[in-house]
Amino acid sequence: MTELERYQQWCERAPLNEAGRAALAAMQNDETERKGCFGAELQFGTAGIRGIMGIGTNRLNDFTVRRTAQGLAAWLTSTELPQRCAIGYDSRHNSRRYAELCAVALAERGVHVYVYHELAPTPMLSFAVRQLGCGCGIVVSASHNAGIYNGIKCYGPDGCQMTDEPAARVFAEIEKIPYFLPAEKSFEDFLAEGGVEFIAPELWERYYETVLGERLATVPSDNLNLLYTPLCGTGNKPVRTVLGRIGVNVAVVPAQEKPDGDFKTCEYPNPETDAALNESYKIARETHPDLILGTDPDCDRVAVAVPVEGGFRKLSGNELGCLLLDYILGTMQKAGTLPADPVAVRSIVSTPMADKIAASYGVKMRRVLTGFKYIGGEILALEQKHEENRFVFGFEESCGYLKGTYARDKDAVVASMLTCDLAAALKREGTNLAEHMDALYSRFGWHEARVLSCELQGPDAMEISAGFMAQMRRELPKAVCGIAVTSVTDYQARVTRDLVHGTEEAVTLPKSNVLVLQLGEKGTVILRPSGTEPKVKIYLTAVDTDRAAAMKLLDDMAAEMSGYLPKNA
Ligand SMILES: O=P(O)(O)OC[C@H]1O[C@H](O)[C@H](O)[C@@H](O)[C@@H]1O
């Protein structure tokens, strides 16, 4: 179907209210807007289906949400899996509404639905899927995206976001479903009949106990003064509960304490950005906490900053990953609790420094594609061999971390707890996370990293990003900053070409639109389109035994590589 045909179909058949009809009419002569709304249908990306809320096949709205849940229900009812689904949602506009629409779509097909009675973190949904023996799960959230977005993340029976294969099967079901199948019963009807029920408060308590069970510290962290922000999302209650129980003195950023779909004072609540903590910095200048910590709206990722002379040093996702990895492996090794043949996992775009830290404890780091679902997939593979206790830690440079196997998605609650315990232990030794990080750099080499990204505007974003990757494949740089490219890995073609020896090796990871240029021991350049936002990303790493040299190289690499970014930004 063409964009115009889709538009026409909605004009004729969509049961819209007056505002909806007016929005459709306004698009008639506005090709850009129409293309944005009807130019495509929402697709599964890095983290499920995500899009701007609005009218059309390419937007999140009652019809596309209902259809997605109907597709999920069609898939579930065609399997032997338990006919149960758990649903969670965050603080975004329409999140609760979409959660109810999803519940109805599943209950209509005889699936028993459990819904959180109030907003809850993504990892708590993952936990609920496992605890309640569900065949699938849903989180209504667009994670870190700006407030105009929302999304539907779909989970499998292991509590992990669906990986490519099941997601493709669900997607095939979604595509068979017409957009405007009316619902005969309401959410309240199903609640009254028992087809839908709220998740019991006991599960919250069990989750807290489980997270606390992952603790490594043996003394309270009551020497730590923390400034915390839930960034207007779901973290406020669970993070404060867990940190309270380990003794941390927590002050909360008032303007960001309550749920707010507009994310006022943090319009782009992405923990990868320094700006996510701007409001916290204002307060910290007055209150002088030991540490600042923020969790993103669905509380699966965490941002951490340390007050340093003259300001604040925000740790990157890679840095916190290295600190937590070293803390976990070091503490477990000392306590004699490190399992035999431990498994730690990172994504291919996360820092290789973690591999060196892991190796120093005799642990081999596994690498997976971008998307925490692939880390969850590694845990599932271990579980199938009854070896899940070998999993010690998983992380991504985008600020997602998991210790434990009780959830199969990144968990900012457990990450906050471990970070605070480590910070408290360091404070007792007269140091802090920033200095400790620098000590790791001195030991393992300075791995300076930066992500360049370019936001693509307008309805042609997908084509521009595809064009960018194709162009890079056609005209691969032979050198970056005068450093020869020693190998190129194309995850799409699933091959690594060693340019020094002229050999080729097959890539074992699934196909993905990613290109990796290796600059010998000096660094890497990785290119991929984002799967959650209209962006292309270039991940740079510069390595040197000298800090200034690594930073200089990184700056030079950034200057050179930014010239390759598409121009419509
Ligand atoms: O780089 P993107 O595709 O935009 O994804 C950004 C992040 O989104 C989600 O949080 C995924 O779980 C992460 O794995 C990913 O790194």
Side-chain angles (χ1 to χ4, degrees):
M1 227 190 245
T2 65
E3 165 233 319
L4 260 179
E5 284 166 346
R6 286 193 204 103
Y7 173 73
Q8 232 34 71
Q9 192 194 51
W10 280 55
C11 289
E12 283 157 23
R13 300 205 212 138
L16 291 166
N17 59 18
E18 208 172 305
R21 281 196 301 275
L24 266 188
M27 263 177 234
Q28 184 152 23
N29 299 316
D30 182 346
E31 201 192 329
T32 311
E33 178 67 6
R34 214 180 49 226
K35 247 180 130 183
C37 295
F38 289 96
E41 295 194 310
L42 293 169
Q43 305 278 325
F44 269 87
T46 307
I49 284 180
R50 210 173 273 198
I52 294 172
M53 287 177 271
I55 289 184
T57 55
N58 199 29
R59 296 282 184 252
L60 254 281
N61 51 56
D62 288 6
F63 307 110
T64 52
V65 168
R66 177 165 161 76
R67 185 172 179 251
T68 302
Q70 285 173 311
L72 183 68
W75 164 78
L76 183 67
T77 49
S78 74
T79 69
E80 300 288 300
L81 292 169
Q83 301 295 297
R84 292 187 287 275
C85 174
I87 302 181
Y89 54 93
D90 71 2
S91 57
R92 287 174 181 272
H93 291 306
N94 296 317
S95 283
R96 169 70 188 228
R97 175 184 174 80
Y98 292 163
E100 292 187 4
L101 287 174
C102 290
V104 168
L106 281 135
E108 273 172 351
R109 298 204 181 206
V111 176
H112 187 82
V113 180
Y114 299 93
V115 189
Y116 273 108
H117 72 284
E118 61 178 327
L119 68 178
T122 286
M124 283 184 73
L125 184 278
S126 173
F127 181 73
V129 166
R130 299 177 59 75
Q131 290 284 320
L132 301 170
C134 295
C136 69
I138 291 176
V139 173
V140 181
S141 169
S143 185
H144 56 272
N145 293 49
I148 53 170
Y149 284 83
N150 214 329
I152 306 288
K153 306 197 219 184
C154 296
Y155 290 74
D158 59 334
C160 179
Q161 275 191 57
M162 283 182 176
T163 47
D164 306 345
E165 231 181 84
R169 285 201 292 271
V170 171
F171 202 67
E173 293 295 343
I174 296 173
E175 287 193 305
K176 289 187 215 157
I177 295 174
Y179 278 101
F180 312 119
L181 285 180
E184 280 174 13
K185 286 184 196 166
S186 69
F187 179 74
E188 285 71 25
D189 293 339
F190 280 112
L191 261 186
E193 284 173 14
V196 174
E197 66 177 292
F198 285 121
I199 292 175
E202 288 82 51
L203 203 81
W204 289 73
E205 189 50 40
R206 211 181 304 159
Y207 169 79
Y208 295 147
E209 278 165 20
T210 308
V211 169
L212 288 160
E214 294 298 329
R215 205 170 172 229
L216 297 164
T218 49
V219 293
S221 288
D222 51 7
N223 60 330
L224 190 78
N225 297 318
L226 179 80
L227 178 65
Y228 168 63
T229 171
L231 292 172
C232 305
T234 58
N236 195 35
K237 186 169 158 184
V239 171
R240 286 170 78 180
T241 302
V242 167
L243 295 187
R245 290 194 194 174
I246 64 168
V248 178
N249 308 303
V250 184
V252 180
V253 174
Q256 299 173 348
E257 180 178 353
K258 296 275 172 294
D260 174 7
D262 291 325
F263 303 108
K264 283 182 221 84
T265 68
C266 53
E267 276 78 12
Y268 182 48
N270 186 344
E272 293 161 63
T273 62
D274 210 20
L277 294 180
N278 276 349
E279 184 70 15
S280 306
Y281 295 153
K282 274 193 216 157
I283 292 173
R285 275 188 204 103
E286 308 295 321
T287 59
H288 308 290
D290 298 316
L291 192 70
I292 300 166
L293 192 147
T295 49
D296 75 341
D298 65 329
C299 195
D300 58 358
R301 303 195 292 155
V302 65
V304 171
V306 185
V308 291
E309 221 185 290
F312 305 96
R313 171 163 159 195
K314 181 172 179 299
L315 299 172
S316 70
N318 276 325
E319 289 181 322
L320 190 62
C322 287
L323 284 163
L324 291 178
L325 178 71
D326 183 63
Y327 171 57
I328 292 168
L329 294 180
T331 315
M332 290 180 91
Q333 194 172 69
K334 215 180 268 168
T337 52
L338 203 55
D341 206 2
V343 173
V345 192
R346 71 164 172 93
S347 68
I348 52 171
V349 294
S350 304
T351 181
M353 180 167 162
D355 308 5
K356 298 180 187 167
I357 295 174
S360 75
Y361 293 99
V363 176
K364 193 166 171 355
M365 189 64 123
R366 290 191 186 173
R367 290 181 304 157
V368 293
L369 294 179
T370 308
F372 214 89
K373 56 193 173 192
Y374 297 109
I375 298 182
E378 291 293 308
I379 308 178
L380 178 63
L382 289 171
E383 189 173 49
Q384 283 162 346
K385 296 188 285 175
H386 306 289
E387 291 177 5
E388 66 271 24
N389 65 335
R390 283 174 57 202
F391 176 78
V392 284
F393 187 54
F395 89 95
E396 296 185 297
E397 56 72 45
S398 51
C399 306
Y401 312 93
L402 178 68
K403 176 183 180 299
T405 59
Y406 60 89
R408 301 298 164 87
D409 209 340
K410 50 211 177 299
D411 185 356
V413 184
V414 83
S416 301
M417 177 184 80
L418 296 169
T419 303
C420 286
D421 277 338
L422 173 59
L426 293 171
K427 188 181 173 191
R428 281 191 291 270
E429 291 166 19
T431 176
N432 62 36
L433 289 171
E435 288 172 4
H436 195 56
M437 186 64 221
D438 289 350
L440 288 178
Y441 278 135
S442 305
R443 201 165 142 213
F444 295 101
W446 293 84
H447 292 63
E448 294 292 337
R450 191 176 305 164
V451 184
L452 306 177
S453 69
C454 143
E455 184 146 358
L456 305 167
Q457 281 145 18
D460 303 328
M462 292 289 274
E463 280 121 80
I464 297 172
S465 108
F468 164 73
M469 291 301 288
Q471 169 79 7
M472 291 308 292
R473 284 192 168 90
R474 274 195 305 273
E475 290 169 27
L476 272 175
K478 298 219 163 26
V480 176
C481 297
I483 304 170
V485 175
T486 49
S487 73
V488 177
T489 301
D490 187 343
Y491 283 87
Q492 186 127 287
R494 299 183 74 207
V495 67
T496 297
R497 291 189 190 88
D498 182 325
L499 305 183
V500 181
H501 304 99
T503 53
E504 285 195 359
E505 201 185 321
V507 165
T508 50
L509 293 181
K511 200 168 163 178
S512 184
N513 192 5
V514 186
L515 267 178
V516 181
L517 314 185
Q518 187 67 42
L519 310 178
E521 297 289 298
K522 283 292 191 190
T524 45
V525 176
I526 307 181
L527 308 103
R528 65 179 279 274
S530 158
T532 62
E533 295 172 289
K535 274 182 179 176
V536 292
K537 291 180 164 183
I538 304 183
Y539 304 77
L540 306 172
T541 311
V543 187
D544 203 291
T545 48
D546 178 70
R547 178 183 214 166
M551 283 171 91
K552 163 90 175 56
L553 176 58
L554 184 71
D555 283 343
D556 292 348
M557 285 167 75
E560 189 168 317
M561 290 311 299
S562 57
Y564 288 92
L565 285 170
K567 295 287 175 274
N568 98 327

